[in-house]
Amino acid sequence: MAAEKQTTEVRQDEIARAALELVGTVGMKGLSMAAIARKVGIVPSGIYRHFSSKDDVIDAILDYLQRGLSGNVRAIALLEVTALERLHSLLMKHIDLVRQNKSIPVVVFSTEVYNGSPHRRVKLRGIIEAYLAEIAAMVGQGQLEGSIREALDPKAVAVMFMGLVQPSTILWHLSAGEYDAMKQAETAWPIFCSAIERRTPSERKVIME
């Protein structure tokens, strides 16, 4: 029974990835169950064994995005490094996730997700807020270990962190990959880091001089 469940989950994940890839070429309006089936290499009835409608597949795409974000957080948590280094690694992983799934911005800002379905908008908000909470927790760990300034609001820092990601990945998408989002993140990171890291009195004196 467990093996059958795992096979189902793997197939659903495969369908969600295929649908996400198709969005990049046909858009959300052009996405269909038949096109997804062709992409996966199965008959349309095979799609309907897992999802009853296109709406269900769109929900699965959001689930796929959530698993990608939470998977990155879990991987970062295993690193034996400072909180600042964890945040830097998470930044790189987040941008790489978008680069590997270039249709994510199309899905997130589509009418079907953003305006067309109240429950889906709530779901997307929940995914983003859960991710921000994970980032805020990393910031809190940094405050406890002394690498991040204690006076800062972890939630505010988490939103600032997302500001390192969203504009550059949108520009990357709009430029069809010409804009180097990874390079921009690496350039912006020291600026972000200097705004939140805790410094000793002697370090602050050097900067002021």
Side-chain angles (χ1 to χ4, degrees):
M1 191 69 178
E4 182 179 346
K5 181 179 180 181
Q6 183 181 17
T7 300
T8 298
E9 291 174 351
V10 169
R11 177 61 82 184
Q12 289 175 342
D13 196 61
E14 183 181 9
I15 292 170
R17 289 199 312 271
L20 185 58
E21 290 177 12
L22 277 171
V23 169
T25 56
V26 303
M28 291 291 282
K29 295 293 185 183
L31 188 65
S32 69
M33 300 295 268
I36 297 170
R38 287 193 297 271
K39 181 74 173 177
V40 177
I42 60 178
V43 296
S45 61
I47 300 290
Y48 285 102
R49 291 193 189 100
H50 300 280
F51 302 104
S52 61
S53 66
K54 174 181 168 179
D55 278 345
D56 287 345
V57 175
I58 295 173
D59 283 335
I61 292 175
L62 294 182
D63 291 335
Y64 174 75
L65 171 60
Q66 182 179 33
R67 288 193 296 275
L69 294 174
S70 60
N72 283 348
V73 171
R74 288 195 300 272
I76 295 302
L78 298 175
L79 300 177
E80 296 183 0
V81 295
T82 68
L84 282 172
E85 290 170 314
R86 286 195 184 96
L87 286 170
H88 179 259
S89 295
L90 185 63
L91 174 63
M92 297 298 108
K93 281 184 173 293
H94 188 137
I95 292 177
D96 191 54
L97 175 67
V98 177
R99 288 173 55 183
Q100 295 299 320
N101 300 275
K102 62 181 181 180
S103 301
I104 286 177
V106 178
V107 173
V108 169
F109 295 108
S110 68
T111 299
E112 289 83 353
V113 172
Y114 194 71
N115 291 321
S117 172
H119 93 271
R120 199 169 290 131
R121 187 167 63 247
V122 170
K123 181 173 184 172
L124 178 59
R125 178 181 174 180
I127 291 171
I128 294 172
E129 288 182 341
Y131 187 56
L132 287 171
E134 295 282 5
I135 298 170
M138 287 189 191
V139 175
Q141 291 170 359
Q143 290 173 322
L144 288 175
E145 72 186 21
S147 61
I148 295 177
R149 290 162 51 198
E150 294 179 1
L152 299 178
D153 180 351
K155 293 180 180 179
V157 176
V159 174
M160 288 173 60
F161 175 89
M162 287 295 287
L164 298 174
V165 177
Q166 293 304 104
S168 58
T169 54
I170 290 173
L171 286 170
W172 170 80
H173 180 79
L174 292 175
S175 67
E178 290 184 8
Y179 185 84
D180 194 335
M182 194 70 78
K183 181 179 179 181
Q184 168 59 26
E186 289 288 16
T187 303
W189 173 253
I191 302 172
F192 173 79
C193 199
S194 66
I196 69 169
E197 66 181 341
R198 182 182 179 185
R199 298 190 181 94
T200 65
S202 60
E203 288 173 328
R204 286 195 294 269
K205 182 179 179 181
V206 170
I207 291 173
M208 292 177 64
E209 291 174 348

